[in-house]
Amino acid sequence: MNVIGNMKIGKRLGLGFAIILALSVLIAVIGVWRLQSVAKATQAMMDVPLAKERMIGDWYRHTYSGIRRATAVAKSSDPSLSAFFKPETDEATRISTELQKKILELLVSDEEKQLYEKIMSLRKVYLAKRDVIYKAKGEPNPDPAMIADALEKDYLPAAKNYSTEVENLLALF
């Protein structure tokens, strides 16, 4: 007779329970291992879109602040305001340029790349219009009518177009 056949019923039940318990532990260990693999894959999959979203959000924040600064300079009668904001403006522009380079490396779809190129062309226009205001405000006797005209007709529409497209890029993520 075989070994199991000679065992008493209590020992057979104990052996069966031990086998089922061992299989349950093995299945649980395999399940935890697979869940960790899925978690790592999900994290890796989300790293790039999350990084893009954060960088574009920072870029938008610097852009929005820059628009507000330039508008304040244009509207203010204080001639020292332009010089006061210059270091902050230069730093924001530098940071935005660095962010744009990093963002460009992460763009993969044609839609993202085309929108980015559109934004870059709008940025050139925006910066040129902003610089006109800063230059005019830096002159010894700035012409308030010319500055108001440049602000309303040129700068604010360019700033709106630029910031709207940066928001559109952000909305892709």
Side-chain angles (χ1 to χ4, degrees):
M1 234 181 179
N2 64 24
V3 174
I4 294 180
N6 291 336
M7 294 173 76
K8 292 187 178 188
I9 189 77
K11 288 185 180 182
R12 281 191 236 168
L13 286 173
L15 180 63
F17 181 72
I19 291 171
I20 289 173
L21 186 61
L23 286 173
S24 295
V25 168
L26 179 65
I27 289 170
V29 167
I30 291 171
V32 168
W33 173 68
R34 293 298 301 148
L35 280 174
Q36 287 176 341
S37 298
V38 169
K40 285 179 185 176
T42 302
Q43 180 65 37
M45 184 176 71
M46 290 306 299
D47 280 345
V48 171
L50 187 60
K52 281 193 278 192
E53 181 183 28
R54 287 185 178 163
M55 285 189 278
I56 295 168
D58 286 347
W59 177 16
Y60 178 76
R61 180 174 45 86
H62 287 290
T63 298
Y64 180 81
S65 299
I67 291 168
R68 302 312 306 160
R69 274 191 307 273
T71 303
V73 166
K75 293 246 181 210
S76 174
S77 60
D78 182 358
S80 69
L81 199 57
S82 178
F84 176 77
F85 281 134
K86 182 162 180 25
E88 190 176 327
T89 299
D90 292 345
E91 180 67 8
T93 302
R94 184 191 63 76
I95 291 170
S96 292
T97 301
E98 288 176 9
L99 286 169
Q100 291 158 12
K101 289 175 185 175
K102 291 176 184 176
I103 292 165
L104 180 59
E105 294 173 3
L106 299 176
L107 299 178
V108 288
S109 77
D110 288 339
E111 180 184 12
E112 293 169 359
K113 291 176 183 178
Q114 288 171 356
L115 184 53
Y116 181 85
E117 290 304 318
K118 181 180 180 183
I119 291 169
M120 291 292 91
S121 65
L122 290 172
R123 182 175 190 252
K124 288 177 187 172
V125 172
Y126 159 75
L127 291 175
K129 303 300 181 187
R130 180 198 70 185
D131 292 346
V132 166
I133 289 174
Y134 275 110
K135 183 179 179 201
K137 289 298 277 193
E139 292 178 3
N141 294 316
D143 179 5
M146 187 284 279
I147 292 170
D149 192 51
L151 176 71
E152 295 298 327
K153 290 182 180 174
D154 297 328
Y155 175 74
L156 289 177
K160 177 143 181 64
N161 289 339
Y162 174 54
S163 65
T164 298
E165 292 305 326
V166 174
E167 279 184 293
N168 290 341
L169 183 62
L170 182 59
L172 289 178
F173 306 101

